[in-house]
Amino acid sequence: MTAQRLFLLLVVTLIAALAPVTAWAQVGEGIQALTVTTNDNGGETYSVTLQILLLMTVLTLLPAALIMMTAFTRIIVVLAILRQGIGTSQTPSNQVLIGLAFFLTLFVMTPVLEEIYETAFVPYMDEEIGTEEFLVQGVQPLRGFMLEQTRESDLSMFAEINGIDGFEDADDIPLSLLVPAFVTSELKTAFQIGFLILIPFLIIDLVVASVLMSMGMVMLSPLIISLPFKVMLFVLVDGWALMMNTLATSFFV
């Protein structure tokens, strides 16, 4: 199941779930729709109204989850450094960079989304699991992805700050500790990649600046002269394809 189909199913499910809420509002049954039923096994089943309320609350957190719990942070930081290194401060525009980072993130996260769909979304839609179990099972693939990309030193640092000596199992690591450690590791990796990207552009700037100084053209900005050379170098080495390949493969090494 592709990520696009998963997104469409989520939209259709949301629209279908809103229909009972609209009917309830017209009938005017009042607050009775906000109910929690205890099952025979001790679990709890929430009414449709509460489920929709929880779903809308989760949707408001999607931007933060997209940035902090996926590959988006590393990709957008590297692309921003690349644009700064070339010297085109507004080209590509922020909208283009964010769109490129989003779809590249979708490409990298597709295996994780498919696992969430198979292990959590399908059983939940088939009413085999409840809402709480759906959330627990749905976050496990994301947890595994973040653990693979997080450095042990960053986990140890945040655990020490929180007063925790260590963890016996990876499942014992709370998300409140794992997410900041993951973001810290992603920023460090992004700046390492950005450093390697900036080196050839820095060499071009130094060469152009030295030539201009030797010619006595101290009033002419080296950036104006070096920009065409940096763009030409980036195009000749097929820089965009190389950059996309580097970013994508950095998550699977």
Side-chain angles (χ1 to χ4, degrees):
M1 178 62 64
T2 62
Q4 293 85 347
R5 187 174 179 185
L6 174 59
F7 176 75
L8 290 176
L9 285 174
L10 289 175
V11 173
V12 172
T13 304
L14 177 59
I15 295 175
L18 286 176
V21 179
T22 305
W24 164 76
Q26 293 176 350
V27 174
E29 294 181 354
I31 201 67
Q32 295 179 358
L34 301 174
T35 59
V36 179
T37 305
T38 303
N39 300 328
D40 296 335
N41 57 3
E44 295 180 343
T45 301
Y46 299 95
S47 63
V48 175
T49 306
L50 280 178
Q51 292 182 25
I52 296 300
L53 179 62
L54 292 174
L55 178 60
M56 297 304 295
T57 303
V58 171
L59 288 177
T60 60
L61 301 176
L62 279 181
L66 173 65
I67 296 174
M68 297 290 103
M69 300 176 67
T70 65
F72 186 85
T73 300
R74 182 189 304 184
I75 295 172
I76 192 63
V77 170
V78 171
L79 292 178
I81 293 176
L82 171 63
R83 184 177 65 177
Q84 189 70 25
I86 296 177
T88 55
S89 58
Q90 297 298 327
T91 305
S93 63
N94 292 331
Q95 292 84 349
V96 174
L97 288 186
I98 293 175
L100 181 59
F102 173 77
F103 283 102
L104 188 57
T105 300
L106 187 63
F107 171 78
V108 173
M109 301 297 296
T110 294
V112 179
L113 294 177
E114 290 178 347
E115 186 176 353
I116 294 175
Y117 177 84
E118 296 293 338
T119 60
F121 185 77
V122 172
Y124 179 74
M125 295 303 297
D126 294 339
E127 298 183 356
E128 298 177 358
I129 59 176
T131 304
E132 294 182 1
E133 191 174 355
F134 165 73
L135 295 176
V136 172
Q137 294 186 10
V139 80
Q140 290 304 318
L142 276 177
R143 175 190 293 273
F145 171 80
M146 289 189 291
L147 283 173
E148 291 179 358
Q149 305 299 327
T150 304
R151 293 177 172 83
E152 294 184 2
S153 59
D154 295 325
L155 278 175
S156 301
M157 178 188 68
F158 282 98
E160 183 179 354
I161 294 175
N162 203 27
I164 302 175
D165 294 334
F167 301 97
E168 297 181 357
D169 192 356
D171 294 334
D172 297 334
I173 304 176
L175 285 178
S176 58
L177 188 150
L178 178 58
V179 172
F182 168 73
V183 175
T184 303
S185 296
E186 287 294 281
L187 289 175
K188 182 177 181 179
T189 303
F191 275 85
Q192 288 176 342
I193 298 175
F195 170 76
L196 298 177
I197 294 173
L198 290 176
I199 290 178
F201 299 130
L202 177 61
I203 294 175
I204 294 177
D205 287 332
L206 290 175
V207 171
V208 171
S210 300
V211 172
L212 292 179
M213 287 291 293
S214 63
M215 297 175 61
M217 304 174 65
V218 295
M219 300 301 294
L220 182 62
S221 175
L223 296 178
I224 299 177
I225 307 301
S226 64
L227 178 59
F229 292 99
K230 290 189 288 187
V231 173
M232 181 182 64
L233 172 65
F234 192 70
V235 172
L236 288 177
V237 299
D238 198 6
W240 286 113
L242 183 61
M243 182 57 54
M244 296 303 104
N245 178 68
T246 301
L247 286 173
T249 55
S250 66
F251 292 95
F252 300 102
V253 176

